[in-house]
Amino acid sequence: MTSTCRLALRSTIMGWLVVAVLSGGQASAAAAESASGHPSTTANHTGSVDVSDVSSASMTTDLQPILDEAEPGSTIVLKPGIYLGPAVIRKPLELRSEIAGESILLNESEESALIVEADDVTLAGIRIRDEAFKPQATIVVSGDRARIEQLWIATGADGISVKDADNGTITSTVIDWTPREVSMAAKGNGIDLFNSHRWRIDGNTVSDAHDGIYMEKSDDTIVTGNVVERSRYGIHCMYTARTVIRGNVGKANVTGAMVMTATEVEVNGNTFTKQNENVHSQGILLFDAHDSVFEDNKVEGNRTGFYVEQSTGNVIVGNEAIYNFVGIQLLDAESNVVEGNLFQGNVADAQARGSSNNEIAGNYWDGFSGIDTDGDGYSDTAYAINPFFQGVTQKRAAFQLFFQSPGMEFLEELFQNNRDDWSRDVKPLMAPPGFDGANPSHGSSKATGYLSLLLIIAVIGMLYMNRRRTI
């Protein structure tokens, strides 16, 4: 058999095998199409491209011809099956799976699986397998107004990288970083925005990435309803302004949310739990963060609930910091408002150093026993945060091993220098915020009084009965 015959026979067999996978085994149609060497794509009356007869080897091994043949503004509907990347979208169009999750873009190259260069591109319902460990992101977006929705991405790089592109959305997408035995520092980010403004990132799930959602020099981004697990930083913004981080969940990351060198950030209604595997783990971290609001968040089971360093003008109000090693740490932080928060079940409610000029009032600290003589629900004595431990560990980091040890607590009791410079809650609550009762301390005093009266009556009764017996 000549080499030409062998090549023709191999092409025909390849066409039959591909169609068996992608088109339910319609081998006769595959053989007919393989002779032409090009897939048939027809536009219907709605302007969409129907990729119905996946029939030639060239089509099944390359998504690019399908994209090239589509008219600008059209919709490409992919039948269930496997489409091979890499591919580049250079015109506005919509690329979606006929059945969500059953059109698979497989990329085994060292390039990005899909590059979006054009404006006004939509990607929907596609499953992407791009699991090679490499520097190039699985999806790269440089066009404005991109819409990415309901994708499933298994990646060995950045899942979605957006650079110099504005006004896009990423919604209901699952990103899983899959290569194993790779250090956290070497992994890619789930969603990565750079110099890209006014994006909305909503309802996505990211697992085992470097940073789950990372934003740098990207203003006015709204991040809502996402779940990030087992990553370094769950949600991380740097050099941003007016970022909104609302209603997200972070579990078992190094840090739940990190706000660094950022201004006017809004962080509210989030839940960050079990960030505690690393000595530097925090629920919410502020570093060089300014004029931002942190409200109604729940940080539970972390090494540190709130970590605030070199940050000014922030409002931390109405949050729950519960069952952490440290509820809140203030390091060289000034002019912040810390009010109406719940610090309960923490090993240490608060630590502070160089942070005396903050407005701290009306918080509940369950490790503090106050005195409320006028029954207004607030302690008449302040809760002062002893800076001794923070000062010692700043000079000798290894002394963190003695955190809450009896010896360290004894030394803290001895250290009373410069108490006027200590951070303090000037009006701590006597009961947790939202306690059912307008005057919890007064009610408690009344109950104690009734109990004392009953005990006195009981003692008098016992003495009287004993006296009767002796008579």
Side-chain angles (χ1 to χ4, degrees):
M1 184 181 292
T2 65
S3 60
T4 303
C5 291
R6 285 197 298 268
L7 181 61
L9 179 59
R10 185 172 62 179
S11 298
T12 302
I13 292 172
M14 283 295 295
W16 290 343
L17 290 175
V18 166
V19 172
V21 174
L22 300 182
S23 303
Q26 296 177 359
S28 60
E33 285 292 341
S34 64
S36 67
H38 297 284
S40 61
T41 59
T42 57
N44 61 26
H45 294 294
T46 62
S48 66
V49 176
D50 180 18
V51 186
S52 54
D53 269 338
V54 181
S55 52
S56 71
S58 62
M59 179 176 179
T60 57
T61 57
D62 193 354
L63 176 64
Q64 192 65 56
I66 302 173
L67 301 173
D68 292 341
E69 289 187 8
E71 294 294 326
S74 65
T75 297
I76 300 173
V77 180
L78 298 176
K79 293 290 183 180
I82 299 174
Y83 301 82
L84 300 186
V88 182
I89 300 177
R90 300 184 176 91
K91 66 191 77 170
L93 53 79
E94 180 174 342
L95 179 65
R96 67 169 53 248
S97 176
E98 181 183 59
I99 303 175
E102 295 194 16
S103 299
I104 300 171
L105 175 58
L106 177 62
N107 182 46
E108 296 179 332
S109 75
E110 291 299 311
E111 302 176 36
S112 297
L114 193 58
I115 298 176
V116 178
E117 295 180 350
D119 297 340
D120 302 301
V121 170
T122 296
L123 306 175
I126 302 169
R127 188 178 299 273
I128 301 176
R129 291 179 54 189
D130 183 46
E131 300 177 86
F133 178 40
K134 59 187 179 183
Q136 286 76 21
T138 293
I139 297 177
V140 175
V141 178
S142 58
D144 294 339
R145 297 178 299 281
R147 291 177 55 202
I148 299 173
E149 55 191 42
Q150 201 177 1
L151 303 187
W152 291 265
I153 301 173
T155 182
D158 288 343
I160 301 172
S161 176
V162 181
K163 296 183 179 180
D164 304 312
D166 300 331
N167 302 304
T169 61
I170 303 172
T171 60
S172 304
T173 289
V174 176
I175 302 173
D176 187 16
W177 210 92
T178 56
R180 304 307 173 192
E181 299 181 359
V182 176
S183 68
M184 182 74 74
K187 291 183 176 182
N189 298 326
I191 298 171
D192 188 303
L193 268 62
F194 180 81
N195 196 34
S196 299
H197 310 295
R198 297 175 298 281
W199 276 74
R200 185 176 186 92
I201 303 172
D202 179 69
N204 306 286
T205 300
V206 181
S207 302
D208 298 296
H210 187 239
D211 289 356
I213 300 171
Y214 177 74
M215 298 157 283
E216 182 176 350
K217 297 182 179 179
S218 300
D219 298 337
D220 301 296
T221 297
I222 300 175
V223 182
T224 57
N226 303 280
V227 177
V228 183
E229 299 178 308
R230 302 181 304 277
S231 300
R232 186 186 67 154
Y233 304 147
I235 301 171
H236 185 187
C237 59
M238 290 187 65
Y239 308 108
T240 70
R242 298 174 300 280
T243 305
V244 175
I245 302 172
R246 181 187 303 128
N248 303 280
V249 174
K251 301 177 184 177
N253 305 295
V254 174
T255 294
M258 177 173 285
V259 180
M260 298 183 65
T261 319
T263 60
E264 301 178 71
V265 178
E266 178 186 329
V267 181
N268 64 58
N270 304 281
T271 300
F272 299 110
T273 60
K274 298 183 179 179
Q275 273 76 214
N276 54 27
E277 293 296 324
N278 190 288
V279 69
H280 299 297
S281 290
Q282 302 94 5
I284 298 176
L285 182 147
L286 291 69
F287 183 85
D288 193 21
H290 307 280
D291 303 320
S292 299
V293 176
F294 300 79
E295 184 175 7
D296 294 333
N297 301 285
K298 183 177 183 179
V299 288
E300 179 178 2
N302 307 289
R303 186 185 183 280
T304 301
F306 278 89
Y307 180 94
V308 186
E309 182 174 1
Q310 297 181 30
S311 298
T312 63
N314 302 292
V315 176
I316 303 172
V317 60
N319 303 282
E320 294 183 13
I322 59 177
Y323 307 114
N324 306 284
F325 283 98
V326 181
I328 186 170
Q329 284 184 326
L330 300 168
L331 305 177
D332 301 317
E334 302 289 340
S335 303
N336 301 288
V337 175
V338 182
E339 184 176 354
N341 302 286
L342 170 67
F343 296 94
Q344 189 170 43
N346 304 294
V347 178
D349 280 334
Q351 296 176 345
R353 185 189 74 238
S355 304
S356 60
N357 188 27
N358 295 291
E359 297 180 27
I360 307 176
N363 303 282
Y364 177 73
W365 317 86
D366 73 342
F368 170 71
S369 298
I371 301 173
D372 181 13
T373 57
D374 56 7
D376 65 352
Y378 296 93
S379 174
D380 300 327
T381 58
Y383 169 53
I385 304 172
N386 194 319
F388 178 76
F389 181 77
Q390 283 295 308
V392 169
T393 55
Q394 181 188 25
K395 297 176 181 178
R396 297 287 187 273
F399 281 14
Q400 293 185 32
L401 293 172
F402 298 104
F403 173 67
Q404 290 292 295
S405 67
M408 187 63 70
E409 291 184 345
F410 176 73
L411 292 174
E412 282 185 324
E413 289 296 327
L414 294 179
F415 180 79
Q416 298 295 320
N417 293 342
N418 303 317
R419 284 185 64 93
D420 291 341
D421 295 333
W422 291 11
S423 297
R424 65 186 64 240
D425 187 326
V426 297
K427 200 176 180 182
L429 283 170
M430 295 294 294
F435 184 86
D436 187 13
N439 196 339
S441 63
H442 181 61
S444 177
S445 299
K446 288 175 65 177
T448 303
Y450 289 141
L451 181 60
S452 300
L453 181 59
L454 288 173
L455 289 173
I456 292 171
I457 294 172
V459 170
I460 293 173
M462 290 174 63
L463 292 173
Y464 176 75
M465 294 298 295
N466 187 55
R467 184 169 178 274
R468 288 286 300 265
R469 290 194 190 97
T470 57
I471 294 174

